[in-house]
Amino acid sequence: MQVQSDHNYYRIEMKPQAKWLWDHAIYLFLGGLAGAVYAIAGISMLFFNPVNWAGFAQTGIYLAFPAGIAASAALFMGLGSPMKAVHSWKKPGTSWIARGVFIWTIFLGVAFIHFITLLLGIDIGGLNNVLFLVGTIAGFGIMVYTGFLLSAARAIAFWSTGALPALFLVGALASGFLALIFFGALTGVEGGEKGWLFVRYGALTMLGLQAFITLFHIQATHSSPEGRVSANLLMKGERSALFWGGAVILGLAVPLLLLSVAAGS
């Protein structure tokens, strides 16, 4: 925000933040994706017949750890002073950043064990379900953590809504289901009819919820002048091409259309 003097009154000019660039965007996308594919794999193996879900579960395990490492690297590169990352553990009782580091540490540890044992063909027996349970809980934590972190930033009105954690959750799950569909088709996963129906309708449901919550979130930001400026900048201003072309068309409309055609065929 910039204040300019104009004769006998002040005019307040609001400017968008320019600190978060593509490295942060990569972190947000890959971090949510990592948590989602692992959580979907964990839920399918813990609560459904493994015969129908084993292929997709293995795909999720193979994707989760590399995506998590890439997300962590992108976030680390985006830090203004990377060495300050050692202080991020402090005050987990009040700091969402500290809680996020704790969740990420658990998730990456579990995802690595599952990844390496699957890669090497090591049978870990009953520990498999324990890892899935802990990793699934951590995966959901990763998906919603950034939403809680940003919604707590009261100084930025566009982030400060209760819908943001839910938006991050459904957005991550939509990406996770779509990734499982893409890599499952690419590698010829034998998930069975029930497995394929699960990931297809899961993706359709999450994309629909993402569209609805996005509209709700944008509407909620109009309760303050700063929020309205941010929403207008996103939908009508210099960021509108990225929003409509990237988020709406490529991120929502195209996947919804393709999934709807696949579901009807």
Side-chain angles (χ1 to χ4, degrees):
M1 181 180 295
Q2 187 177 53
V3 180
Q4 297 178 343
S5 175
D6 190 358
H7 298 295
N8 295 324
Y9 66 93
Y10 288 96
R11 182 174 71 252
I12 298 177
E13 180 182 351
M14 299 179 187
K15 293 183 176 294
Q17 68 87 20
K19 299 295 184 183
W20 283 30
L21 302 174
W22 285 105
D23 41 22
H24 289 87
I26 292 171
Y27 158 71
L28 293 174
F29 174 72
L30 289 180
L33 176 68
V37 291
Y38 192 97
I40 295 168
I43 290 172
S44 66
M45 293 300 288
L46 288 170
F47 300 105
F48 300 105
N49 187 346
V51 174
N52 294 319
W53 316 106
F56 287 112
Q58 289 182 359
T59 303
I61 292 171
Y62 277 129
L63 289 174
F65 181 68
I69 289 295
S72 301
L75 179 62
F76 188 79
M77 291 171 60
L79 295 174
S81 301
M83 293 308 298
K84 291 182 179 179
V86 296
H87 302 294
S88 59
W89 283 90
K90 295 181 178 179
K91 300 180 180 179
T94 57
S95 170
W96 273 107
I97 293 178
R99 295 167 189 163
V101 172
F102 179 73
I103 295 170
W104 264 108
T105 302
I106 294 175
F107 177 79
L108 287 176
V110 171
F112 171 74
I113 296 173
H114 239 154
F115 177 83
I116 201 69
T117 54
L118 181 61
L119 187 66
L120 299 178
I122 300 172
D123 184 7
I124 54 178
L127 182 59
N128 196 54
N129 284 343
V130 175
L131 290 176
F132 268 132
L133 179 61
V134 175
T136 297
I137 294 172
F140 273 99
I142 286 173
M143 286 185 272
V144 301
Y145 146 70
T146 307
F148 282 112
L149 172 66
L150 297 183
S151 64
R154 300 301 180 189
I156 303 180
F158 191 73
W159 293 348
S160 187
T161 75
L164 203 59
L167 182 57
F168 270 85
L169 175 63
V170 298
L173 285 171
S175 299
F177 277 118
L178 290 171
L180 290 176
I181 291 172
F182 176 78
F183 285 100
L186 192 66
T187 58
V189 165
E190 296 182 3
E193 183 180 355
K194 291 183 179 179
W196 280 104
L197 285 175
F198 175 69
V199 293
R200 285 173 181 168
Y201 283 103
L204 274 170
T205 302
M206 292 304 118
L207 286 168
L209 286 173
Q210 185 178 359
F212 174 77
I213 297 174
T214 298
L215 290 173
F216 180 83
H217 172 72
I218 292 175
Q219 180 61 36
T221 61
H222 279 67
S223 60
S224 69
E226 299 92 337
R228 286 194 294 273
V229 170
S230 297
N232 288 332
L233 180 67
L234 189 65
M235 295 187 293
K236 303 176 184 177
E238 58 186 88
R239 304 290 195 275
S240 60
L242 283 174
F243 175 71
W244 291 108
V248 176
I249 296 177
L250 292 179
L252 287 173
V254 172
L256 278 170
L257 177 62
L258 293 175
L259 288 168
S260 298
V261 171
S265 61

